Coordinates of all heavy atoms in Angstrom, one line a residue:
M1404 N 0.9 -1.2 -0.1 CA 0.1 0.0 0.0 C 0.8 1.3 0.0 O 1.7 1.4 0.8 CB -0.8 0.0 1.2 CG -1.6 1.2 1.5 SD -2.7 1.3 2.9 CE -1.7 1.0 4.3
D1405 N 0.6 2.1 -1.0 CA 1.5 3.5 -1.0 C 0.7 4.4 -0.1 O -0.4 4.4 0.0 CB 1.3 4.0 -2.4 CG 2.2 3.2 -3.3 OD1 3.2 2.4 -2.9 OD2 2.0 3.4 -4.5
V1406 N 1.5 5.1 0.6 CA 1.1 6.1 1.7 C 1.6 7.6 1.1 O 2.7 7.6 0.8 CB 1.6 5.9 3.0 CG1 1.2 7.1 4.0 CG2 1.1 4.6 3.6
T1407 N 0.7 8.4 0.9 CA 1.1 9.7 0.4 C 1.1 10.7 1.5 O 0.4 10.5 2.7 CB 0.0 10.2 -0.6 OG1 -1.2 10.4 0.0 CG2 -0.1 9.3 -1.8
P1408 N 1.8 11.8 1.4 CA 1.8 12.8 2.5 C 0.5 13.3 3.0 O 0.2 13.6 4.0 CB 2.6 13.9 1.9 CG 3.5 13.4 1.0 CD 2.6 12.3 0.3
A1409 N -0.6 13.2 2.0 CA -2.0 13.6 2.5 C -2.5 12.6 3.4 O -3.5 12.9 4.1 CB -2.8 13.6 1.2
D1410 N -2.1 11.4 3.4 CA -2.5 10.3 4.4 C -1.7 10.4 5.7 O -1.9 9.4 6.6 CB -2.2 9.1 3.7 CG -3.1 8.8 2.5 OD1 -4.1 9.3 2.3 OD2 -2.5 8.1 1.6
V1411 N -0.8 11.3 5.9 CA 0.1 11.2 7.2 C -0.6 12.1 8.1 O -1.0 13.3 7.8 CB 1.4 11.7 6.8 CG1 2.3 11.9 8.1 CG2 2.1 10.8 5.8
H1412 N -0.7 11.7 9.4 CA -1.0 12.5 10.4 C 0.1 12.5 11.5 O 0.5 11.5 12.0 CB -2.3 12.0 11.2 CG -2.7 12.6 12.4 ND1 -3.3 13.9 12.4 CD2 -2.4 12.4 13.8 CE1 -3.5 14.3 13.7 NE2 -2.9 13.5 14.4
L1413 N 0.7 13.5 11.6 CA 1.8 13.8 12.6 C 1.3 14.7 13.7 O 1.0 15.8 13.4 CB 3.0 14.5 11.9 CG 4.3 14.7 12.7 CD1 4.8 13.4 13.3 CD2 5.3 15.4 11.8
A1414 N 1.4 14.3 14.9 CA 1.1 15.0 16.1 C 2.2 15.2 17.0 O 3.0 14.2 17.3 CB 0.0 14.3 16.9
I1415 N 2.5 16.5 17.2 CA 3.6 16.8 18.2 C 2.8 17.3 19.4 O 2.2 18.2 19.6 CB 4.4 17.8 17.6 CG1 5.2 17.4 16.3 CG2 5.5 18.3 18.7 CD1 5.9 18.5 15.6
G1416 N 3.0 16.3 20.5 CA 2.3 16.5 21.7 C 2.7 17.8 22.5 O 1.9 18.5 23.0
R1417 N 4.0 18.1 22.5 CA 4.6 19.1 23.2 C 5.8 19.7 22.5 O 6.7 18.9 22.3 CB 4.7 18.8 24.6 CG 5.3 19.9 25.4 CD 5.3 19.4 26.9 NE 6.4 20.1 27.5 CZ 6.8 19.9 28.8 NH1 5.9 19.1 29.6 NH2 7.8 20.5 29.3
L1418 N 5.9 20.9 22.3 CA 7.0 21.5 21.8 C 7.5 22.6 22.7 O 6.9 23.5 22.9 CB 6.8 22.2 20.3 CG 8.0 22.7 19.6 CD1 8.9 21.8 19.3 CD2 7.4 23.4 18.2
V1419 N 8.7 22.4 23.3 CA 9.2 23.3 24.3 C 10.3 24.2 23.6 O 11.2 23.6 23.0 CB 9.7 22.6 25.5 CG1 10.5 23.6 26.4 CG2 8.8 21.8 26.3
L1420 N 10.2 25.4 23.6 CA 11.1 26.4 22.9 C 11.9 27.2 23.9 O 11.4 28.4 24.3 CB 10.3 27.3 21.9 CG 9.3 26.5 20.9 CD1 8.5 27.5 20.2 CD2 10.2 25.7 20.0
H1421 N 13.0 26.9 24.2 CA 13.9 27.7 25.1 C 14.5 28.6 24.3 O 15.1 28.4 23.1 CB 15.0 26.8 25.7 CG 14.4 25.7 26.7 ND1 13.9 26.0 27.9 CD2 14.2 24.3 26.5 CE1 13.5 24.8 28.4 NE2 13.6 23.9 27.6
G1422 N 14.5 29.9 24.8 CA 15.3 31.0 24.3 C 14.5 31.6 23.0 O 15.1 32.4 22.4
V1423 N 13.3 31.2 22.9 CA 12.4 31.7 21.7 C 11.6 32.7 22.3 O 10.8 32.6 23.2 CB 11.7 30.7 21.0 CG1 10.9 31.3 19.9 CG2 12.7 29.7 20.4
A1424 N 11.5 34.0 21.7 CA 10.5 35.0 22.2 C 9.2 34.5 21.9 O 8.8 34.0 20.8 CB 10.9 36.3 21.4
P1425 N 8.1 34.8 22.9 CA 6.7 34.4 22.6 C 6.3 34.9 21.2 O 5.5 34.1 20.5 CB 6.1 35.0 23.7 CG 7.1 35.1 24.8 CD 8.4 35.4 24.1
A1426 N 6.6 36.0 20.9 CA 6.2 36.6 19.6 C 6.7 35.8 18.4 O 6.1 35.9 17.2 CB 6.6 38.1 19.4
D1427 N 7.8 35.1 18.5 CA 8.4 34.2 17.4 C 7.9 32.6 17.4 O 8.2 32.0 16.5 CB 10.0 34.2 17.5 CG 10.5 35.6 17.2 OD1 9.9 36.5 16.4 OD2 11.6 35.9 17.7
A1428 N 7.3 32.4 18.5 CA 6.9 31.0 18.6 C 6.0 30.5 17.5 O 6.1 29.5 16.9 CB 6.3 30.7 20.0
A1429 N 5.0 31.3 17.2 CA 4.0 31.0 16.1 C 4.7 30.9 14.7 O 4.5 30.0 13.9 CB 2.8 31.9 16.2
R1430 N 5.7 31.7 14.5 CA 6.4 31.7 13.2 C 7.3 30.5 13.1 O 7.4 29.9 12.0 CB 7.2 33.0 13.0 CG 6.3 34.2 12.8 CD 7.1 35.7 12.8 NE 8.3 35.5 12.0 CZ 9.3 36.3 12.0 NH1 9.3 37.3 13.0 NH2 10.3 36.3 11.4
L1431 N 8.0 30.2 14.2 CA 8.8 29.0 14.3 C 8.0 27.7 14.1 O 8.3 26.9 13.3 CB 9.5 28.8 15.6 CG 10.5 27.9 15.7 CD1 11.6 28.2 16.6 CD2 10.0 26.4 16.1
G1432 N 6.8 27.6 14.7 CA 5.9 26.4 14.5 C 5.4 26.3 13.1 O 5.3 25.3 12.5
A1433 N 5.1 27.4 12.6 CA 4.6 27.5 11.1 C 5.6 27.1 10.1 O 5.4 26.3 9.3 CB 3.9 28.8 10.8
A1434 N 6.9 27.5 10.4 CA 7.8 27.1 9.6 C 8.4 25.7 9.7 O 8.7 25.0 8.6 CB 9.1 28.1 9.9
M1435 N 8.3 25.2 10.8 CA 8.5 23.8 11.1 C 7.4 23.0 10.4 O 7.8 21.9 9.7 CB 8.4 23.6 12.6 CG 8.8 22.1 13.0 SD 8.8 22.0 14.9 CE 9.0 20.1 15.1
E1436 N 6.2 23.3 10.5 CA 5.1 22.6 9.8 C 5.3 22.5 8.3 O 5.3 21.5 7.6 CB 3.8 23.1 10.1 CG 2.6 22.4 9.6 CD 1.2 23.0 10.0 OE1 1.2 23.9 11.0 OE2 0.3 22.8 9.3
R1437 N 5.7 23.7 7.6 CA 5.8 23.7 6.3 C 7.0 22.8 5.8 O 6.9 22.2 4.7 CB 6.1 25.2 5.8 CG 4.8 26.2 5.7 CD 5.3 27.6 5.1 NE 6.4 28.2 5.7 CZ 6.2 29.1 6.7 NH1 5.0 29.2 7.4 NH2 7.3 29.6 7.2
E1438 N 8.1 23.0 6.6 CA 9.3 22.2 6.2 C 9.0 20.7 6.3 O 9.6 20.0 5.5 CB 10.4 22.6 7.1 CG 11.9 21.9 6.8 CD 12.3 22.2 5.5 OE1 11.8 23.0 4.6 OE2 13.4 21.4 5.1
L1439 N 8.4 20.3 7.4 CA 8.0 18.9 7.4 C 7.1 18.4 6.2 O 7.3 17.4 5.8 CB 7.4 18.5 8.8 CG 8.2 18.4 10.0 CD1 7.3 18.4 11.3 CD2 9.0 17.1 9.9
Q1440 N 6.2 19.3 5.9 CA 5.3 18.9 4.7 C 6.2 18.8 3.5 O 6.1 17.8 2.8 CB 4.3 20.0 4.6 CG 3.4 19.7 3.4 CD 2.3 20.6 3.3 OE1 2.0 21.4 4.1 NE2 1.5 20.5 2.1
R1441 N 7.1 19.7 3.3 CA 8.1 19.8 2.2 C 8.9 18.5 2.1 O 9.1 17.8 1.2 CB 9.0 21.0 2.2 CG 9.8 21.0 0.9 CD 10.8 22.2 0.9 NE 11.9 21.8 1.9 CZ 12.9 20.9 1.5 NH1 12.9 20.4 0.5 NH2 13.9 20.5 2.5
L1442 N 9.5 18.1 3.3 CA 10.3 17.0 3.4 C 9.6 15.7 3.1 O 10.0 14.8 2.4 CB 10.8 16.9 4.7 CG 12.0 17.9 5.0 CD1 12.4 17.8 6.5 CD2 13.2 17.5 4.3
L1443 N 8.2 15.5 3.6 CA 7.5 14.3 3.3 C 7.1 14.4 1.8 O 7.0 13.3 1.2 CB 6.2 14.4 4.1 CG 6.4 14.1 5.6 CD1 5.3 14.5 6.4 CD2 6.9 12.6 5.7
E1444 N 6.8 15.5 1.2 CA 6.4 15.5 -0.1 C 7.6 15.2 -1.1 O 7.5 14.6 -2.2 CB 5.9 16.9 -0.6 CG 4.5 17.1 0.1 CD 3.9 18.5 -0.2 OE1 4.6 19.3 -0.7 OE2 2.8 18.7 0.1
T1445 N 8.7 15.7 -0.8 CA 9.9 15.5 -1.7 C 10.7 14.2 -1.5 O 11.2 13.7 -2.3 CB 10.8 16.8 -1.6 OG1 11.4 16.9 -0.2 CG2 10.2 18.1 -2.1
R1446 N 10.8 13.9 -0.2 CA 11.6 12.7 0.2 C 10.8 11.5 0.4 O 11.4 10.4 0.6 CB 12.5 13.0 1.4 CG 13.6 14.2 1.0 CD 14.4 14.3 2.2 NE 15.4 15.4 2.0 CZ 16.1 15.8 2.9 NH1 16.3 15.3 4.0 NH2 16.9 16.9 2.6
G1447 N 9.5 11.8 0.8 CA 8.6 10.6 1.2 C 8.7 10.1 2.5 O 9.4 10.8 3.3
L1448 N 8.0 9.1 2.9 CA 8.1 8.7 4.3 C 9.2 8.0 4.6 O 9.7 7.2 3.9 CB 6.9 7.8 4.6 CG 5.5 8.4 4.6 CD1 4.4 7.2 4.7 CD2 5.4 9.4 5.8
P1449 N 9.9 8.1 5.7 CA 11.0 7.4 6.2 C 10.6 5.8 6.3 O 9.5 5.6 6.5 CB 11.4 7.8 7.5 CG 10.9 9.4 7.4 CD 9.5 9.3 6.7
S1450 N 11.6 5.0 6.1 CA 11.4 3.6 6.0 C 10.6 3.1 7.3 O 11.0 3.5 8.4 CB 12.8 2.8 5.9 OG 12.5 1.5 6.2
G1451 N 9.5 2.4 7.1 CA 8.8 1.7 8.2 C 7.8 2.7 8.9 O 7.0 2.3 9.8
L1452 N 7.8 4.0 8.5 CA 6.9 4.9 9.2 C 5.4 4.6 8.8 O 4.6 4.9 9.7 CB 7.2 6.3 9.0 CG 6.6 7.5 9.7 CD1 6.9 7.3 11.0 CD2 7.0 8.8 9.2
A1453 N 5.2 4.1 7.7 CA 3.8 3.9 7.3 C 3.0 3.2 8.4 O 1.8 3.1 8.3 CB 3.8 3.3 5.9
R1454 N 3.7 2.2 9.1 CA 3.0 1.4 10.0 C 2.5 2.2 11.3 O 2.0 1.6 12.1 CB 3.9 0.2 10.5 CG 4.1 -0.7 9.3 CD 4.9 -2.0 9.8 NE 6.2 -1.7 10.5 CZ 7.3 -1.4 10.0 NH1 7.6 -1.4 8.8 NH2 8.3 -1.1 10.8
G1455 N 3.0 3.4 11.4 CA 2.7 4.0 12.7 C 4.1 4.1 13.5 O 4.9 3.0 13.6
A1456 N 4.3 5.1 14.1 CA 5.7 5.1 14.9 C 5.4 6.2 16.1 O 4.5 7.0 16.2 CB 6.8 5.6 14.0
S1457 N 6.4 6.0 17.0 CA 6.4 6.9 18.1 C 7.9 7.4 18.4 O 8.9 6.6 18.2 CB 5.9 6.1 19.4 OG 6.2 6.9 20.5
L1458 N 8.1 8.5 18.7 CA 9.4 9.2 19.0 C 9.5 9.5 20.4 O 8.5 10.1 21.0 CB 9.7 10.4 18.1 CG 9.9 10.2 16.8 CD1 10.1 11.7 16.1 CD2 11.0 9.4 16.4
D1459 N 10.6 9.3 21.1 CA 10.9 9.8 22.3 C 11.2 11.3 22.2 O 11.8 11.6 21.2 CB 12.1 9.0 23.0 CG 11.7 7.6 23.4 OD1 10.5 7.3 23.6 OD2 12.6 6.8 23.3
E1460 N 11.2 11.9 23.3 CA 11.6 13.3 23.3 C 13.1 13.4 22.9 O 13.8 12.6 22.9 CB 11.4 14.0 24.6 CG 12.2 13.3 25.7 CD 11.8 13.9 27.1 OE1 10.7 13.8 27.6 OE2 12.7 14.7 27.7
G1461 N 13.4 14.6 22.3 CA 14.8 14.8 21.9 C 14.9 16.3 22.0 O 14.0 17.0 22.0
E1462 N 16.1 16.7 21.6 CA 16.5 18.1 21.6 C 17.0 18.5 20.2 O 17.6 17.6 19.5 CB 17.7 18.5 22.6 CG 17.1 18.3 24.0 CD 18.2 18.7 25.0 OE1 19.3 19.2 24.5 OE2 17.9 18.6 26.3
V1463 N 16.8 19.6 19.8 CA 17.1 20.2 18.4 C 18.0 21.5 18.7 O 17.5 22.3 19.6 CB 16.0 20.5 17.5 CG1 16.6 21.2 16.3 CG2 15.2 19.3 17.3
C1464 N 19.2 21.7 18.4 CA 20.0 22.9 18.5 C 20.1 23.5 17.3 O 20.2 22.9 16.2 CB 21.5 22.3 18.9 SG 21.5 21.7 20.6
V1465 N 19.9 24.8 17.3 CA 19.8 25.6 15.9 C 21.0 26.6 16.2 O 21.4 27.0 17.3 CB 18.5 26.3 15.9 CG1 17.5 25.3 15.5 CG2 18.1 27.2 16.9
P1466 N 21.6 27.1 15.1 CA 22.6 28.1 15.2 C 22.2 29.4 16.0 O 21.1 29.8 16.0 CB 22.9 28.4 13.7 CG 22.3 27.4 12.9 CD 21.1 26.7 13.7
A1467 N 23.2 29.8 16.8 CA 22.9 31.1 17.5 C 22.6 32.1 16.5 O 23.0 32.3 15.5 CB 24.0 31.5 18.4
G1468 N 21.6 32.9 17.0 CA 21.0 34.0 16.2 C 20.1 33.6 15.1 O 19.8 34.5 14.3
A1469 N 19.7 32.4 14.9 CA 18.8 31.9 13.9 C 17.4 32.6 14.2 O 16.9 32.7 15.4 CB 18.7 30.3 14.0
G1470 N 16.8 33.0 13.1 CA 15.5 33.6 13.2 C 14.5 32.4 13.3 O 14.7 31.2 13.3
P1471 N 13.2 32.8 13.6 CA 12.2 31.6 13.7 C 12.1 30.8 12.6 O 11.8 29.6 12.8 CB 11.0 32.5 14.0 CG 11.1 33.9 13.8 CD 12.7 34.0 13.7
E1472 N 12.1 31.3 11.3 CA 11.9 30.4 10.1 C 13.1 29.4 10.0 O 12.8 28.3 9.8 CB 11.8 31.3 8.9 CG 10.5 32.0 8.7 CD 10.4 33.3 9.5 OE1 11.5 33.8 10.1 OE2 9.3 33.8 9.7
E1473 N 14.3 29.9 10.2 CA 15.5 28.9 10.1 C 15.4 28.1 11.3 O 15.8 26.9 11.1 CB 16.8 29.8 10.3 CG 18.0 29.0 10.2 CD 19.4 29.8 10.2 OE1 19.3 31.0 10.4 OE2 20.4 29.1 10.2
A1474 N 15.1 28.3 12.5 CA 15.0 27.4 13.6 C 13.9 26.5 13.3 O 14.1 25.3 13.6 CB 14.7 28.2 14.9
G1475 N 12.8 26.8 12.8 CA 11.7 26.0 12.4 C 12.1 24.9 11.4 O 11.7 23.8 11.5
R1476 N 12.8 25.3 10.3 CA 13.4 24.4 9.3 C 14.3 23.4 9.9 O 14.3 22.2 9.6 CB 13.9 25.2 8.2 CG 12.9 25.8 7.3 CD 13.6 26.5 5.9 NE 14.7 27.4 6.3 CZ 14.5 28.7 6.5 NH1 13.4 29.3 6.3 NH2 15.7 29.5 6.6
A1477 N 15.3 24.0 10.9 CA 16.2 23.0 11.5 C 15.4 22.0 12.3 O 15.8 20.8 12.3 CB 17.2 23.9 12.3
A1478 N 14.5 22.4 13.1 CA 13.7 21.5 14.0 C 13.0 20.4 13.1 O 13.0 19.2 13.5 CB 12.7 22.2 14.8
A1479 N 12.4 20.8 12.0 CA 11.7 20.0 11.1 C 12.6 18.9 10.5 O 12.3 17.7 10.5 CB 11.0 20.7 9.9
G1480 N 13.9 19.4 10.1 CA 14.8 18.4 9.5 C 15.2 17.3 10.6 O 15.3 16.3 10.4
A1481 N 15.5 17.8 11.9 CA 15.8 16.9 13.0 C 14.8 15.9 13.1 O 14.9 14.7 13.4 CB 16.1 17.7 14.2
V1482 N 13.3 16.4 13.3 CA 12.2 15.5 13.5 C 12.3 14.4 12.3 O 12.1 13.3 12.5 CB 11.0 16.3 13.5 CG1 9.9 15.4 13.6 CG2 11.0 17.1 15.0
Y1483 N 12.4 14.8 11.1 CA 12.3 14.0 9.9 C 13.4 13.0 10.0 O 13.2 11.8 9.8 CB 12.4 14.8 8.7 CG 12.2 14.0 7.4 CD1 11.0 13.7 6.9 CD2 13.4 13.4 6.8 CE1 10.8 12.8 5.8 CE2 13.3 12.7 5.7 CZ 12.0 12.4 5.2 OH 11.8 11.6 4.1
R1484 N 14.6 13.3 10.4 CA 15.7 12.4 10.5 C 15.4 11.5 11.6 O 15.6 10.2 11.4 CB 17.1 13.1 10.8 CG 17.6 13.8 9.5 CD 19.0 14.3 9.8 NE 19.0 15.4 10.9 CZ 18.8 16.5 10.8 NH1 18.3 17.0 9.6 NH2 18.8 17.4 11.7
R1485 N 14.8 11.8 12.7 CA 14.6 10.9 14.0 C 13.4 10.0 13.4 O 13.3 9.0 14.0 CB 14.1 11.9 15.1 CG 15.4 12.4 15.6 CD 15.4 12.9 17.0 NE 15.2 11.8 18.0 CZ 14.3 11.8 19.0 NH1 13.6 12.9 19.3 NH2 14.3 10.7 19.7
L1486 N 12.6 10.5 12.5 CA 11.3 9.5 12.2 C 11.9 8.3 11.4 O 11.4 7.3 11.3 CB 10.3 10.3 11.1 CG 9.5 11.4 11.8 CD1 8.7 12.1 10.8 CD2 8.6 10.6 12.9
G1487 N 13.2 8.5 10.7 CA 13.7 7.4 10.1 C 14.3 6.3 11.0 O 14.5 5.2 10.5
S1488 N 14.4 6.6 12.3 CA 14.8 5.6 13.2 C 13.8 5.3 14.3 O 14.1 4.8 15.3 CB 16.0 6.0 13.9 OG 15.9 7.3 14.6
A1489 N 12.5 5.7 14.0 CA 11.4 5.5 15.1 C 11.1 4.1 15.1 O 11.3 3.3 14.2 CB 10.2 6.3 14.5
R1490 N 10.6 3.9 16.3 CA 10.0 2.5 16.6 C 8.6 2.4 16.5 O 7.8 3.5 16.5 CB 10.4 2.1 18.1 CG 9.8 2.8 19.1 CD 10.3 2.5 20.4 NE 9.5 3.0 21.5 CZ 9.4 4.3 21.9 NH1 9.9 5.2 21.2 NH2 8.7 4.7 23.0
A1491 N 7.9 1.3 16.2 CA 6.6 1.2 16.0 C 5.8 1.7 17.3 O 6.2 1.3 18.4 CB 6.3 -0.3 15.6
A1492 N 4.8 2.3 17.1 CA 3.9 2.8 18.1 C 3.0 1.6 18.7 O 2.7 0.7 18.0 CB 2.9 3.8 17.5
P1493 N 2.9 1.5 20.0 CA 2.2 0.4 20.8 C 0.8 0.4 20.1 O 0.1 1.3 19.8 CB 2.1 0.9 22.2 CG 3.3 1.9 22.4 CD 3.4 2.6 21.0
G1494 N 0.3 -0.9 19.9 CA -0.9 -1.1 19.4 C -1.1 -0.9 17.9 O -2.2 -1.0 17.3
R1495 N -0.1 -0.5 17.2 CA 0.0 -0.3 15.7 C 0.5 -1.6 15.1 O 1.2 -2.4 15.5 CB 0.9 0.7 15.3 CG 0.5 2.1 15.9 CD -0.8 2.7 15.2 NE -1.0 4.0 15.6 CZ -1.4 4.9 14.8 NH1 -1.4 4.7 13.5 NH2 -1.5 6.1 15.2
P1496 N -0.1 -1.9 13.8 CA 0.5 -3.0 13.1 C 2.1 -2.8 13.0 O 2.5 -1.7 12.8 CB -0.1 -2.8 11.6 CG -1.4 -2.1 11.9 CD -1.1 -1.1 13.1
G1497 N 2.7 -3.9 13.2 CA 4.2 -3.9 13.1 C 4.8 -3.8 14.4 O 5.9 -3.9 14.7
D1498 N 3.9 -3.5 15.5 CA 4.5 -3.5 16.9 C 4.7 -4.8 17.2 O 4.0 -5.8 17.2 CB 3.3 -2.7 17.8 CG 3.8 -2.7 19.2 OD1 5.0 -2.6 19.5 OD2 2.8 -2.6 20.0
S1499 N 5.9 -5.1 18.0 CA 6.5 -6.3 18.4 C 5.9 -6.6 19.7 O 6.1 -7.8 20.3 CB 8.0 -6.3 18.3 OG 8.5 -5.5 19.3
G1500 N 5.2 -5.6 20.4 CA 4.6 -5.9 21.8 C 5.6 -5.8 22.8 O 5.4 -6.1 24.0
R1501 N 6.9 -5.3 22.5 CA 7.8 -5.1 23.6 C 7.9 -3.8 24.2 O 7.5 -2.8 23.7 CB 9.3 -5.4 22.9 CG 9.6 -6.7 22.6 CD 11.0 -6.9 22.1 NE 10.9 -7.7 20.9 CZ 11.8 -7.8 20.0 NH1 12.9 -7.2 20.2 NH2 11.6 -8.4 19.0

C-alpha cells in the first residue's frame, strides 16, 4: 500500500522552545510545519513509518542568532531524521509488543 503525505497525521504533543521570544513561537511552529510537509512531499515517508511510529523526546540545537523560520526548518529536519529511526507505536501494526 502506498502512503502519500496527504495520508500522514503527525502529532507533536509538546514543543518546548527555550530561548524563543513568545512573539516568534508561532512563526517557528509554522515554519516547522511547512518544512515537515516539504520533506514528506519531496523525500517521502522514512522507512517503516507507514505502520505508525512513536518518537521519544529529543533536543534540537539551532545556530545562535537563527530567526524563527530558520529554527523551524532546522527543527523539522531533525524530526524528519529521527522519524527514520522511529520505533513502532504500541498497538499499531508492526508493533512487536515489547
Side-chain angles (χ1 to χ4, degrees):
M1404 167 174 66
D1405 289 336
V1406 178
T1407 65
D1410 298 328
V1411 175
H1412 174 78
L1413 177 64
I1415 298 176
R1417 183 174 147 178
L1418 181 62
V1419 178
L1420 304 170
H1421 295 285
V1423 176
D1427 290 337
R1430 289 175 48 203
L1431 188 151
M1435 184 177 176
E1436 184 177 340
R1437 283 190 307 272
E1438 181 66 3
L1439 277 170
Q1440 181 177 353
R1441 187 193 71 77
L1442 289 168
L1443 289 168
E1444 288 174 351
T1445 59
R1446 297 183 185 175
L1448 291 173
S1450 172
L1452 186 61
R1454 294 186 309 273
S1457 173
L1458 291 178
D1459 291 331
E1460 63 186 65
E1462 292 184 8
V1463 176
C1464 295
V1465 297
E1472 287 81 12
E1473 183 181 355
R1476 288 189 302 270
V1482 168
Y1483 184 83
R1484 286 188 298 278
R1485 292 196 64 218
L1486 287 172
S1488 62
R1490 67 186 191 294
R1495 298 285 189 136
D1498 181 20
S1499 65
R1501 286 185 231 165

